Amino acid sequence: MRVNTLKRAAVAFALALPGAAIASVVAAPAAHADGCYTWTRNLYQGSSGADVRQLQIRVAGWAGYRDIVENDGRYGPKTAAAVKRFQQAYGLRADGIAGPQTYGKLYQLQDNDCTPAHFSHGELDDGCGGSGYDGGPLSEAQTRQNALRTMWKLEALRKSLGDKPLDVSGGFRSRACNNRVGGAADSQHLYGNAADVTSRTKSLCQVARDARDNGFSGIYGPGYPDHDDHVHVDSRRENNADRSSNTTSWSAPDCGVGN
């Protein structure tokens, strides 16, 4: 553990150096929890690359009211605003620039498999028995990546609800599972983009309302048929099969959440 701590400190020191020095530490060693990922430079508006995509996955849940952060590898205004909201939520300097403090908090939040602290693939995989991400319309790798992004949005939603437990009762479904439970033919659960959640401390209506700030473009809750005991959240705007329509859908009539 001490070695990992020293490695993380080295990366943080390098990131704090002037721009010319930063360029010399691109090959910085991995730090704790970064068997997942380690950032080796500061990121800000105008930056681009795979490291921006990795950041976008983790701040997708801080998109703001009825908006999303595209996972396009370009650090534009939406990404900067999401980073700033993340920083504000965790008591960091809120400047919209991803640097050592921001990365340090992300390292604290993520596990070695890149999942956030309070959610896991075991919760988001096949809803009929936890058999993994096979059997849907996308490849296992793409479905798994979608599920990871969903988990980071759930982590943001959990934080916005006071850092209280948010329980997942349903996630990815294979086609066979979806048929078995009577899911819609085009259900977002098939893509790893959806989760059904409940809270032990907050009302379902509060969960549904808050979810509008956390990057979800589909929300169904109390008052919507068969959703009085959970809130469904999904990322249909980011679904490869649905991207062209730029669709958002909100329906929790008992909570005042409508289209």
Side-chain angles (χ1 to χ4, degrees):
M1 180 65 72
R2 178 173 175 76
V3 173
N4 283 329
T5 300
L6 290 172
K7 286 179 179 178
R8 185 196 293 174
V11 172
F13 174 75
L15 288 171
L17 293 173
I22 290 173
S24 69
V25 295
V26 172
H32 176 64
D34 308 346
C36 168
Y37 191 81
T38 301
W39 286 271
T40 57
R41 60 172 179 156
N42 295 331
L43 297 173
Y44 40 82
Q45 284 202 61
S47 299
S48 62
D51 49 0
V52 176
R53 285 183 180 273
Q54 290 290 333
L55 179 65
Q56 289 169 329
I57 289 170
R58 291 156 181 77
V59 300
W62 299 99
Y65 183 69
R66 298 182 72 141
D67 209 346
I68 64 170
V69 176
E70 289 85 357
N71 190 220
D72 58 8
R74 296 193 293 270
Y75 204 115
K78 287 186 179 182
T79 300
V83 169
K84 187 172 183 178
R85 293 186 190 98
F86 173 85
Q87 293 167 331
Q88 290 171 331
Y90 286 97
L92 307 177
R93 179 181 178 182
D95 56 9
I97 297 171
Q101 287 191 336
T102 301
Y103 300 146
K105 177 54 64 176
L106 289 172
Y107 296 147
Q108 289 176 14
L109 286 174
Q110 73 184 9
D111 292 326
N112 282 332
D113 65 352
C114 299
T115 58
H118 299 101
F119 300 93
S120 69
H121 285 295
E123 294 174 283
L124 267 289
D125 68 0
D126 194 328
C128 292
S131 61
Y133 295 107
D134 284 325
L138 302 179
S139 70
E140 179 183 5
Q142 182 59 61
T143 305
R144 189 179 185 87
Q145 187 74 356
N146 288 348
L148 179 64
R149 192 170 170 87
T150 299
M151 281 185 265
W152 279 99
K153 291 184 180 186
L154 291 175
E155 187 73 22
L157 175 57
R158 186 187 191 278
K159 179 69 173 176
S160 72
L161 291 167
D163 253 345
K164 302 297 182 182
L166 192 64
D167 298 317
V168 178
S169 58
F172 166 70
R173 301 176 192 152
S174 64
R175 288 189 178 94
C177 173
N178 194 56
N179 290 338
R180 196 178 313 161
V181 301
D186 60 348
S187 171
Q188 295 299 306
H189 287 281
L190 292 164
Y191 300 90
N193 277 330
D196 297 329
V197 297
T198 60
S199 172
R200 307 174 201 176
T201 59
K202 305 295 182 180
S203 71
L204 292 179
C205 284
Q206 185 167 353
V207 173
R209 285 191 292 263
D210 280 26
R212 294 177 294 178
D213 294 324
N214 297 119
F216 294 108
S217 47
I219 300 173
Y220 302 94
Y224 187 81
D226 301 320
H227 285 70
D228 287 336
D229 61 352
H230 69 278
V231 175
H232 166 100
V233 291
D234 70 49
S235 302
R236 60 191 56 214
R237 282 177 64 180
E238 296 151 60
N239 179 347
N240 288 336
D242 195 39
R243 186 169 297 170
S244 62
S245 65
N246 208 31
T247 301
T248 58
S249 183
W250 323 79
S251 187
D254 292 353
C255 309
V257 179
N259 289 328

